Amino acid sequence: MTTAEQDEPYYVLYDGDFGISGLTGELMTLTPPVAAEAALGVVARRTASGDRHIGPDVRNLLASPLPEADVHTLWLAAVRGRFDPAEHGMDTRAWLGRMSELCPPPPPRPGPPAQHTKYLSTMPSHFFRTAVPDEEKMRRSVLGEIRAIAPELTRRVPLPGLVPALERAVHHAGAELGLRLLLRALKAYRVRVGKEQYDRFLDLGEKLDHHTAVAHDGLDVAWPPIDPARRDATWDFGLSGLSARFTHWYDHTLPEVLSTTAAGDEAHQTPGSAAAVLLDDTLRLRDSPLSTDTITTLWLAASDGGLSPDRLGIDGRQWLGRIAGACRERLREVAPDHRPHTRPARPCLAGEVLREVRHVASAMADRTVRLHPRGIPGSAVARALEQVVSQVDPDLGFRLFLRTLHVLALPLDREQYDRCQTLGDHFGYGEFHVSDVEFLVSSQ
């Protein structure tokens, strides 16, 4: 199966590494010495469980003009020498041939029946490849990454000729497979990668429709220190992000929701960042001059009344203390040297945020957070938002404002939405943060 023939993005098919790079990663977990039958058993099991790309990867290498020495070096780098075909009386191409026998090409897929065409046209676009990346441009990009890390690869990997073998693989087997083989070698030998190059790996993977785990999982990244002021999340985050998780949370226990949110670092983030930002929001609000009733109102409005602290026998401030405890537990686990600190607020943006809150205050006054047993008047919510913006932090206040817009389904005009996007840019929010409320914009 070639990239051009593939309809589904890789991230739809696989939530981790796949094909020959995923296979070799699993072979590294076997206890040596690894018998050929055991290795072939892993091939058969992965193929049977849905990895459709082992066969195409293997046949791609077999069809390429790569010399045996290159194929052997690439294989050994991917498995860190855990399984060497030469030790079993085979050259590497013969070994790939045995693997290929377990991964027959799938039969040609017919076009969709006419009765399914309408159904397929309504499926979300992210289930289909929208464009095949420019192969020559991707080759240049992947070759650039190989050359950038070449000194470390040469120093850390005891396989002479690995760098030129990777370069020739990119030329003759394609940029997509070449990138995965590079990442596999880096992971196998724990070659440390700088954060800037890691981000480029993620960007290349996004262009190739990889799941972020292909680059992220198992790669040794030189992470920068945790900084709660850094804004590198794609979606909502911190206390506002947590409140969204409690809108519909009944399939999980309360500790599960807290721990999952605290551990919800995105691929670009230093491990522990999600917990640090949530802790920063929580302590800032808990230790603020706002009344406990105001804090409770803010939480109930942002979470759509999905969890009322009084159901736990506590008030809003005590609830923030529980959230802080889950964050500290996560930080002890992944960043024990981190010392939590509160980032400086940005009061210069308070006036602009207050303008947006006041712009919808009258409409908000006509609404109620209905899921809360007592109901919370929208006017009380508007007052609470103004207080958090002016007395605590405009950034946190703006994020809680966006959440409340979503909960109360307040209509927005295009001008206000555009102003919110601009504010989000000023605060450094990610691509899909403010756009989460774009559905509120009137089509009139």
Side-chain angles (χ1 to χ4, degrees), residues 278-290:
L278 178 55
L279 181 61
D280 178 82
D281 281 353
T282 300
L283 296 181
R284 186 183 299 275
L285 190 57
R286 189 196 66 179
D287 300 337
S288 73
L290 270 59

Side-chain angles (χ1 to χ4, degrees), residues 213-267:
V214 174
H216 177 275
D217 289 1
L219 193 64
D220 187 5
V221 180
W223 294 107
I226 293 172
D227 181 1
R230 187 181 298 121
R231 295 288 176 258
D232 48 11
T234 307
W235 305 87
D236 198 357
F237 56 90
L239 190 64
S240 50
L242 175 68
S243 67
R245 290 175 178 256
F246 274 100
T247 301
H248 304 289
W249 65 284
Y250 302 103
D251 291 338
H252 305 279
T253 67
L254 187 152
E256 286 174 342
V257 178
L258 289 180
S259 62
T260 299
T261 305
D265 304 306
E266 294 187 21

Side-chain angles (χ1 to χ4, degrees), residues 11 57 110 158 179 222 228 296 305 345 349 365:
Y11 62 75
D57 282 353
L179 176 63
T296 303
L349 293 172

Side-chain angles (χ1 to χ4, degrees), residues 4 6 28 38 56 66 74-75 88 108 163 186 204 216 242 259 269 300 313 322 331 346 366 415 429 432 441:
Q6 179 186 324
M28 275 192 58
L66 290 169
L74 292 169
W75 175 265
H88 298 267
V163 170
L186 294 172
L204 283 170
H216 177 275
L242 175 68
S259 62
Q269 293 181 301
L300 291 173
R322 289 202 182 183
L331 288 168
R346 298 172 65 179
D366 296 331
E415 290 76 13
Y429 297 166
F432 301 112
V441 177

